[in-house]
């Protein structure tokens, strides 16, 4: 007589065997997918293998002729948060970065503000600022990680204080924790990258005595604090108490921290045993420096993540989530303005000077820039501009003020409709993004 208990036992074994077979099959499929992805130059995306993103990080740093040349696809070499997310609707995608920095940086006679600040050793850019403005006023820039936007999730940043531009460019607004952990940053000063002026960038741990590598490590703090009192109101400012919502809410107070006004200091490091000036990433504002001690290399003026914002260079454009040029650039309860141009775009004036354009070429450039501005404000996703296949005649018509619907062909209208940036309706009263051609 068959023991019922034996039947139960056999059923359990069969279930366990079946479950194991399923797991092995899934694992084999994952390995096959892994190898296939690698053979295609992509990073595998199987959840079993926990790929970081869908592409393989690529970065190359070469030193020659007095410069450090950096080429990268901008794909991080560490785990990231989930993108898209509620605050950032964009997906990480490879870029085509080419920068250079001098190997002999020198302090300039005056400090200069940064747009795109620098690049990490893994090829991911540092772009700390935003182009989100109060009342379209360039005196009042919203901060991504503090104040109002910080309380709303910091525009969808992940644990590395990074997020993604609409063109897929992943970039850091603060401490790149995943990279720092790989560099053992709490046990030694960690070289994380280079600023556009050539000075090195380190993590937030440094020697207590900056001139003595035998002194204990400590967490370095910036010398900035939130101002006391209230912002100007009316036409001069948003009013209300200083709370960190704006870059202008902060002031430098010499000596309250370890660093100077450009968030750096001079001292020795493992890579520079004889000493150097170096910038420091901090866990308090400005997080990533906002000013250069030296002169930034021109290569950084042509390729910030997602391309330059409206009239700016290497900045995020000011529009709501999903618009081109900057994720989530809305003001309090408001909606963002139009985004910035596509990657590689530069303001017309420096382009003319650099290329030495003829009068006829200047006129053509003016026409094209005007057409791009008109297309951008219509919420078209500019990275798809080539898909429209605009003729010279159409470009001239659009630049002259003709309505897009009267200029585009039926096929072009389909492309136009399929590449609209999502609108962001956060409520009434928010600030628009910067206007076309703003500095």
């Amino acid at each position: 007589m068959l023991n019922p208990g034996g039947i139960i036992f056999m059923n359990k074994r069969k279930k366990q065997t079946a479950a194991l077979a399923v797991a092995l099959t899934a694992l084999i499929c994952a390995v096959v997918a892994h190898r296939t992805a690698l053979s295609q130059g992509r990073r595998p995306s199987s959840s079993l293998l926990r790929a970081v993103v869908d592409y393989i990080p690529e970065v190359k740093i070469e030193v020659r002729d007095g410069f450090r040349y950096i080429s990268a696809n901008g794909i991080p070499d560490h785990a990231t948060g989930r993108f898209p997310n509620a605050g950032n609707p964009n997906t990480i995608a490879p870029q085509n970065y080419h920068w250079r920095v001098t190997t002999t940086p020198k302090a300039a006679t005056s400090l200069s503000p940064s747009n795109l600040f620098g690049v990490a050793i893994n090829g991911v850019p540092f772009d700390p600022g935003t182009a989100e403005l109060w009342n379209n006023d360039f005196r009042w820039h919203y901060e991504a990680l503090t104040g109002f936007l910080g309380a709303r999730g910091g525009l969808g940043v992940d644990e590395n204080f990074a997020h993604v531009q609409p063109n897929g460019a992943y970039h850091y607004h603060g401490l790149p924790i995943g990279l720092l952990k790989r560099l053992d940053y709490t046990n030694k000063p960690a070289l994380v990258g280079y600023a556009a002026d050539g000075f090195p960038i380190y993590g937030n741990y440094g020697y207590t005595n900056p001139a003595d590598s035998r002194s204990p490590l400590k967490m370095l703090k910036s010398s900035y604090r939130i101002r006391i009192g209230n912002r100007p109101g009316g036409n001069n400012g948003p009013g209300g108490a200083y709370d960190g919502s704006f870059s202008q809410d902060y002031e430098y107070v010499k000596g309250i921290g370890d660093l100077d006004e450009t968030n750096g200091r001079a001292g020795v490091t493992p890579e520079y045993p004889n000493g150097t000036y170096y910038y420091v990433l901090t866990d308090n504002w400005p997080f990533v420096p906002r000013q250069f001690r030296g002169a930034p290399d021109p290569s950084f003026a042509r390729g910030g993540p997602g391309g330059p914002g409206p009239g700016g260079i290497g900045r995020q454009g000011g529009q709501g989530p999903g618009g081109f040029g900057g994720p989530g650039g809305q003001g309090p309860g408001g909606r963002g303005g139009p985004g910035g141009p596509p990657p590689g775009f530069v303001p017309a004036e420096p382009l003319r000077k650099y290329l030495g354009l003829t009068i006829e070429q200047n006129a053509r450039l003016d026409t094209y820039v005007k057409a791009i501005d008109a297309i951008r404000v219509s919420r078209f996703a500019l990275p798809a501009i080539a898909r429209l296949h605009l003729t010279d005649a159409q470009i001239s018509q659009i630049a002259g003020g003709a309505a897009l619907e009267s200029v585009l062909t039926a096929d072009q209208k389909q492309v136009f409709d399929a590449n609209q940036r999502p609108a962001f309706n956060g409520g009434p009263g928010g600030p628009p993004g910067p206007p076309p051609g703003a500095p």
Side-chain angles (χ1 to χ4, degrees), residues 146-147 224-229 241-245 249-251 285:
T146 59
Y224 283 86
R225 70 181 183 189
I226 294 179
R227 298 177 186 273
I228 299 172
Y242 292 113
D243 63 356
S245 290
D249 286 359
Y250 293 89
E251 63 179 353
W285 201 91

Side-chain angles (χ1 to χ4, degrees), residues 49-108:
L49 298 173
R50 288 205 71 228
V52 177
V53 287
D54 287 335
Y55 299 89
I56 298 172
E58 296 176 5
V59 61
K60 182 179 181 181
I61 302 176
E62 293 182 304
V63 176
R64 62 179 187 274
D65 303 326
F67 289 94
R68 183 172 283 107
Y69 291 87
I70 305 166
S71 300
N73 66 356
I75 299 299
D77 57 351
H78 53 70
T80 71
R82 183 181 295 276
F83 294 101
N85 60 43
N88 186 279
N90 309 310
T91 302
I92 298 173
Q95 307 298 302
N96 186 24
Y97 294 136
H98 297 280
W99 293 296
R100 73 170 192 178
V101 297
T102 178
T103 56
T104 56
K106 296 178 176 62

Side-chain angles (χ1 to χ4, degrees), residues 3-4 33 53 60 117 133 136 157 162 172 227 257 261-262 266 276 284 295 298 314 362 433:
N3 183 348
V53 287
K60 182 179 181 181
F117 181 71
L133 306 174
N136 211 22
V157 297
Y172 300 123
R227 298 177 186 273
E261 62 269 43
T262 55
T276 184
N284 61 327
N362 272 321

Side-chain angles (χ1 to χ4, degrees), residues 41-418:
R42 304 175 66 250
R43 178 173 285 277
S45 57
S46 167
S47 60
L48 289 175
L49 298 173
R50 288 205 71 228
V52 177
V53 287
D54 287 335
Y55 299 89
I56 298 172
E58 296 176 5
V59 61
K60 182 179 181 181
I61 302 176
E62 293 182 304
V63 176
R64 62 179 187 274
D65 303 326
F67 289 94
R68 183 172 283 107
Y69 291 87
I70 305 166
S71 300
N73 66 356
I75 299 299
D77 57 351
H78 53 70
T80 71
R82 183 181 295 276
F83 294 101
N85 60 43
N88 186 279
N90 309 310
T91 302
I92 298 173
Q95 307 298 302
N96 186 24
Y97 294 136
H98 297 280
W99 293 296
R100 73 170 192 178
V101 297
T102 178
T103 56
T104 56
K106 296 178 176 62
T109 55
S110 61
L111 306 181
S112 57
S114 70
N115 290 317
L116 177 62
F117 181 71
V119 57
I121 57 174
N122 61 2
V124 176
F126 290 105
D127 188 21
T130 73
E132 282 70 54
L133 306 174
W134 169 82
N135 201 30
N136 211 22
D137 188 333
F138 282 86
R139 295 175 297 176
W140 297 97
H141 284 264
Y142 281 97
E143 272 296 310
L145 304 182
T146 59
F148 175 81
L149 293 184
R152 295 281 181 101
L155 302 180
V157 297
D158 64 9
E159 63 274 13
N160 301 294
F161 298 101
H163 59 186
V164 187
Q165 294 281 18
N167 68 332
Y170 184 83
H171 61 283
Y172 300 123
H173 275 264
L175 289 166
I177 299 300
L179 174 60
L180 287 168
K181 287 180 178 178
R182 284 204 305 104
L183 300 174
D184 196 24
Y185 74 112
T186 59
N187 292 315
K188 64 178 181 180
L191 175 66
V192 297
Y194 297 93
D197 61 6
F199 286 113
I201 307 170
Y202 279 80
N204 59 336
Y205 279 81
Y207 300 122
T208 301
N209 180 349
D212 185 0
S213 61
R214 296 168 297 180
S215 63
L217 284 179
K218 71 170 185 175
M219 184 184 291
L220 303 176
K221 294 289 185 181
S222 83
S223 297
Y224 283 86
R225 70 181 183 189
I226 294 179
R227 298 177 186 273
I228 299 172
N230 297 311
R231 307 182 195 96
N235 293 327
N236 294 317
Y242 292 113
D243 63 356
S245 290
F246 299 89
S247 304
Q248 293 74 14
D249 286 359
Y250 293 89
E251 63 179 353
Y252 171 73
V253 180
K254 184 177 180 179
I256 65 170
D258 305 291
L259 308 172
D260 62 17
E261 62 269 43
T262 55
N263 228 46
R265 67 176 186 169
V268 297
T269 69
E271 291 77 18
Y272 299 88
N274 295 322
T276 184
Y277 180 84
Y278 62 94
Y279 297 106
V280 177
L281 307 178
T282 50
D283 64 353
N284 61 327
W285 201 91
F287 309 110
V288 175
R290 309 301 175 92
Q291 299 179 88
F292 290 119
R293 177 67 54 181
D297 190 89
S299 63
F300 282 79
R302 294 194 301 271
I313 296 176
R315 296 301 295 261
Q316 301 177 96
Q319 83 278 322
F324 185 81
Q330 80 279 5
R335 86 186 265 141
F345 240 68
V346 294
E349 202 55 48
L351 187 60
R352 287 192 187 96
K353 184 176 180 181
Y354 180 76
L355 296 177
L357 301 180
T358 65
I359 294 176
E360 180 183 355
Q361 289 169 331
N362 272 321
R364 286 174 60 83
L365 178 61
D366 279 336
T367 300
Y368 189 69
V369 169
K370 289 177 182 177
I372 287 294
D373 277 341
I375 294 171
R376 177 173 58 80
V377 297
S378 67
R379 287 185 46 231
F380 180 73
L382 285 182
I385 189 71
R387 299 177 198 166
L388 287 175
H389 299 293
L390 295 170
T391 65
D392 287 351
Q394 287 177 312
I395 291 172
S396 296
Q397 288 178 283
I398 296 170
L404 290 175
E405 58 268 20
S406 68
V407 173
L408 300 181
T409 66
D411 289 342
Q412 288 172 328
K413 287 178 181 177
Q414 288 184 349
V415 174
F416 185 85
D417 292 338

